[in-house]
Amino acid sequence: MATLQLNHIARETSDVARLAAFYEAVLGFERVPSPTYSGFQVAWLRLPGSPEVALHLIERDPAAAPVAVGPGAEGAPPSQLPRRHHLAFSVADYDGFVTGLKARGTELFEKTQPDGRTRQVFFFDPDGNGLEVTSSAAGRDK
C-alpha cells in the first residue's frame, strides 16, 4: 500500500478575501503563493507550525449544484471536486496509486495544474466525501 502524507484541506467560499482574512486574523494562517486561474479566485494559506499542510480557499463555482458534493452526495461527479470540499493527500508513486483506484473500479477525475507538472486525481470515499491525491512534488510546492 502507498504511503500518504496530508497535503492540503480545501474549503469553498463565496468570498475568498473575507475567509482568508478570517483565517489570517483569527487562526494565524499566513498566505503563500497560489496559482492564478481564469474565472475564479483562490488563496493558499499555511500555518507557520505546520508548513507541510496548506489550507486552500477556493471561490465557489456558481454553476455547481449547492449540495452536489458533500457527505452522502449520491451521483455527484468527481469532476466537481477541484472546486468543492475535499481532503487532499500527496503520494510519491502517483501513477501506481491511480492504477490501484482504476483496478478497484473507482470513478475518478484527473487533471494537471497550470504549472504542467502537478498531477491530481479526485474521487469519493464510500460516504461521498471528496478526496484528492496529488503527485508528491505538489506537496513541496503548495
Side-chain angles (χ1 to χ4, degrees):
M1 176 176 220
T3 302
L4 300 174
Q5 295 178 331
L6 185 62
N7 180 273
H8 70 267
I9 298 167
R11 298 296 305 188
E12 64 177 294
T13 179
S14 59
D15 189 341
V16 172
R18 176 188 51 81
L19 197 57
F22 170 85
Y23 278 98
E24 290 170 310
V26 176
L27 300 173
F29 279 78
E30 297 174 347
R31 286 188 189 236
V32 295
S34 60
T36 300
Y37 296 96
S38 61
F40 63 98
Q41 299 293 312
V42 300
W44 281 193
L45 306 171
R46 188 176 289 155
L47 281 170
S50 300
E52 293 302 316
V53 179
L55 174 63
H56 291 182
L57 303 178
I58 304 169
E59 184 178 2
R60 183 171 291 121
D61 183 357
V67 295
V69 179
E74 305 259 340
S79 61
Q80 289 187 356
L81 280 172
R83 290 184 61 187
R84 302 292 292 202
H85 296 296
H86 60 272
L87 182 60
F89 301 91
S90 57
V91 66
D93 182 8
Y94 176 86
D95 290 322
F97 185 83
V98 171
T99 298
L101 287 176
K102 289 178 179 177
R104 294 176 54 94
T106 302
E107 183 181 2
L108 54 87
F109 172 71
E110 288 186 85
K111 67 178 282 193
T112 301
Q113 282 291 309
D115 66 12
R117 62 189 178 87
T118 305
R119 299 166 60 202
Q120 300 164 290
V121 61
F122 296 87
F123 55 101
F124 293 98
D125 74 12
D127 287 341
N129 295 300
L131 299 171
E132 171 191 344
V133 173
T134 187
S135 53
S136 61
R140 292 187 297 274
D141 298 334
K142 290 186 283 295

